[in-house]
Amino acid sequence: MPLLSKIRMVRPLLIGATLVSILLCASIAVAQSATPASPQPESVQRFIGMFSDPDVQRFLQQQSEAARVVTEPPVATPNADPSFSEFAMRLRVHVSSLLGAIKSFPSETMRGAAMLQGDVQANGGTRPIFLVAAFVAVGLAAQWLFWWISAGWRSWMTRAPFATVRQRVIALAARLLWAACFVLSFGLGSIGFFLLFQWPPIVREIVVGYLFAIVVFRLASALFDVLLAPRAEEEGRFRVIPITKDAAGHWAKRLGYLVGWYAFGWVTIRLLGTHGFSVPARQLVAYALGLVLLVIGIEAVWRRPSGLTAGQASRIGLRARNWLWTVYFVAVWLLWVVGAMRLFWIAVVCAALPGAIALTKASIDNILRSSQDEEDSHKRGTVVSVIVERGIRAALIVGAIILLANALDIRLTQMTMQDSPLLRLVRGLLSAGIILLVVDLAWSVVKVLIDRKLGDTETVLEVGSERERRRTRLRTLLPILRNFLMILFVAVAIMMALSSLGVEIGPLIAGAGVVGVAIGFGAQTVVKDVISGMFYLLDDAFRVGEYIQSGSYKGTVESFSLRSVKLRHHRGAVYIVPFSELGAVQNMSRDWVIEKMTITVTYDSDIEKARKIIKKIGLELFEDPEFKPTTLEPLKMQGIDSLGDSGLLLRMKVMTLPGQQFTLKRRALRMIHEAFNENGIKLAVPTVQVSGGKDDAVAAAAQQTLAAHNAAAVANPA
């Protein structure tokens, strides 16, 4: 056997023997110190002092655990999911250990105080509390120095604008950097200055630990002050999280207290372990400190402002929500106390993840909103905002999965090396979740691009121009493209998710093809509608906003679907016409339109004079600012169209943009009528002349009878 392998086999035994000898020497030394024996040598005293060093104890404990792992054979662990009886037994043991910790806590406290007293005496009698206060004062002095040095920086931040996205990002980054430097100056002034001197180990642990807790508290307070900006209205600052002023002040203070107390409790529990407190005693102190966190959380919920966000509405009243949150906080604390850590982390993640996602989305939208959106009162997403928001949401979801995996003792790395039905299902679910996140990100980016392009086409351009035609075409095709891409993304996501779950999608696709063929035969009309609509759009037969006529259907195109077009009749009726029923389409809104008009004048009228009058009126209308942008050719007379029964039919024409001819026609006819009357040109009207022998006498008699009847009616009214 090679020498290296022999050394590896003997190494655990050597470590164990060394630990046993050290413990034996320590016990002998303690026993000798308890009896009135001769004074110990100085080397033995130094050895005992080294053994009482927490760093040495921690190192020996780590070596002992490593040796135990190497030497002990692997034991087959039972099922990780205990039964109800096992859980009840564990809970009973846990409660018993806590009750025992209550009884033994005074003695452990005395022992820890004795250890601390020894280090205090070695330090000259200076208490750690005074050292913490002294070095906090040093940190505040360093912080004041940084405040004085950064006066120009603070002045610039006060005047920094935040009207645009770039200005808001720069101002926010500057404030975050200044807050970090401000707290860092305190940390360097307190902890850094303390570490310059040589201190006893226990005193060093206590002072550094609580100074670290103070730094964490101040850093959290600075972060919440930047994000929530309680004094944003007075100081002209930007509030990242879109909540009201009262809510910002309320939550900035409470969240800072929560983080600070948590840091204080975490340091306290670690120091108790350094002082040799048992695990049940440390748990007892942790639960007591957790009660303070519970009280802070409940107080923050009950005293929060009633309106957290502008326009927020909820079906549940504020008092009911407060009671629900109170019950939730108490339940989470009880789960932690009884040791049900799996349920504890599941409850925490299920409540925190949706709130974190919603808060992130609101904050990103608030930072990256544009001034144009504020003027239009319409929020438009950007590609950057979608990528950032979806990226942070994906990171939160992945972090929650990793946290739950650690809490549930699921080794994600080992899942790839093992194979079982349950593990395959879990791997498939994780893969499907990742696929859905990626597809959601891609669809969100595409949707934002299409929506912003549609938003850019809302502005009406010059009628009849190339840009206007391009705008109307985009407004026609982009909604169809968006619906098509949505269906495509959904289909791809479903297929990929099923494939990651272990479902063979090849037969599924083949079966779907067969079913599709069968449905196609049964729904030929629908397929015909869809295909006809594709060809209509490819031919650019009509666009949204154009007036078309097909058979008995006519109206303005309002919108499309995959199989039909919606037409709004000029009288208000709406037609939903399938594409296959359109047939030949008459588009009345393309390029130009010629409107023809006829006027009948008497046979004795001066035609040349009438032509000049019409030409003059046409030129006046062509130069009129109201009609000039929409008139392509002025009104003019084409000549005599025909010889009518009552007069001469004069034909006129004018060329305008589509839809603009009706207003001009009405104005032109009115002006022609007035001009003809002024110049003695009479419009012909149909007349009927009745003549004959006996008929004249009959007509005269009838006329007399009618006149007598009317006179009698006037004389004798009813």
Side-chain angles (χ1 to χ4, degrees), residues 246-503:
D246 296 336
H250 174 85
W251 288 111
K253 185 183 298 183
R254 268 69 175 185
L255 292 175
Y257 291 160
L258 283 172
V259 175
W261 187 257
Y262 178 82
F264 171 80
W266 181 76
V267 171
T268 301
I269 300 304
R270 287 186 62 86
L271 291 176
L272 291 179
T274 304
H275 283 70
F277 279 70
S278 63
V279 174
R282 282 181 283 168
Q283 289 179 342
L284 186 65
V285 176
Y287 298 151
L289 295 174
L291 273 176
V292 179
L293 291 177
L294 178 63
V295 171
I296 294 175
I298 294 176
E299 186 271 341
V301 167
W302 279 95
R303 299 190 63 180
R304 60 177 173 167
S306 58
L308 293 181
T309 57
Q312 180 182 10
S314 177
R315 297 180 180 179
I316 304 177
L318 180 62
R319 186 177 182 84
R321 282 183 288 165
N322 293 342
W323 275 112
L324 290 176
W325 280 113
T326 303
V327 172
Y328 169 77
F329 287 150
V330 173
V332 168
W333 183 81
L334 290 177
L335 290 175
W336 177 45
V337 170
V338 301
M341 298 307 298
R342 295 186 177 184
L343 292 178
F344 170 82
W345 285 113
I346 291 175
V348 169
V349 170
C350 290
L353 184 60
I357 292 175
L359 194 64
T360 299
K361 177 175 173 42
S363 302
I364 296 299
D365 292 341
N366 189 34
I367 294 174
L368 300 181
R369 74 178 189 275
S370 62
S371 57
Q372 181 182 0
D373 297 341
E374 295 178 353
E375 295 175 359
D376 298 342
S377 299
H378 177 67
K379 293 184 177 180
R380 298 177 183 175
T382 61
V383 176
V384 176
S385 64
V386 169
I387 293 177
V388 173
E389 188 263 326
R390 292 297 194 276
I392 295 177
R393 184 174 70 174
L396 291 174
I397 294 174
V398 172
I401 292 174
I402 295 175
L403 179 62
L404 288 179
N406 292 332
L408 300 177
D409 294 331
I410 298 176
R411 300 294 181 263
L412 297 178
T413 56
Q414 296 180 0
M415 290 175 56
T416 58
M417 298 181 292
Q418 300 177 1
D419 192 14
S420 66
L422 180 60
L423 289 179
R424 286 198 299 269
L425 179 60
V426 174
R427 283 199 300 267
L429 290 176
L430 292 177
S431 301
I434 294 174
I435 290 170
L436 292 178
L437 288 176
V438 173
V439 172
D440 176 68
L441 175 61
W443 162 244
S444 300
V445 171
V446 172
K447 183 175 180 295
V448 165
L449 291 174
I450 294 177
D451 289 344
R452 292 194 70 85
K453 198 66 178 177
L454 280 174
D456 295 339
T457 60
E458 291 179 356
T459 304
V460 180
L461 302 174
E462 183 180 354
V463 180
S465 63
E466 183 64 27
R467 294 179 60 189
E468 174 65 14
R469 288 194 291 268
R470 184 172 178 270
R471 184 190 73 88
T472 56
R473 182 161 177 78
L474 286 177
R475 290 188 62 83
T476 301
L477 296 179
L478 286 180
I480 301 295
L481 178 62
R482 182 176 55 190
N483 295 335
F484 174 76
L485 290 178
M486 181 187 67
I487 297 173
L488 178 63
F489 276 111
V490 170
V492 171
I494 292 175
M495 291 299 175
M496 295 181 68
L498 292 176
S499 177
S500 64
L501 291 173
V503 179

Side-chain angles (χ1 to χ4, degrees), residues 635-661:
L635 176 69
K636 59 184 178 180
M637 191 180 80
Q638 294 180 287
I640 300 175
D641 183 68
S642 62
L643 301 176
D645 295 335
S646 57
L648 302 174
L649 271 71
L650 306 181
R651 180 176 293 275
M652 301 168 291
K653 74 171 184 177
V654 62
M655 180 184 291
T656 65
L657 294 178
Q660 306 298 321
Q661 69 273 21

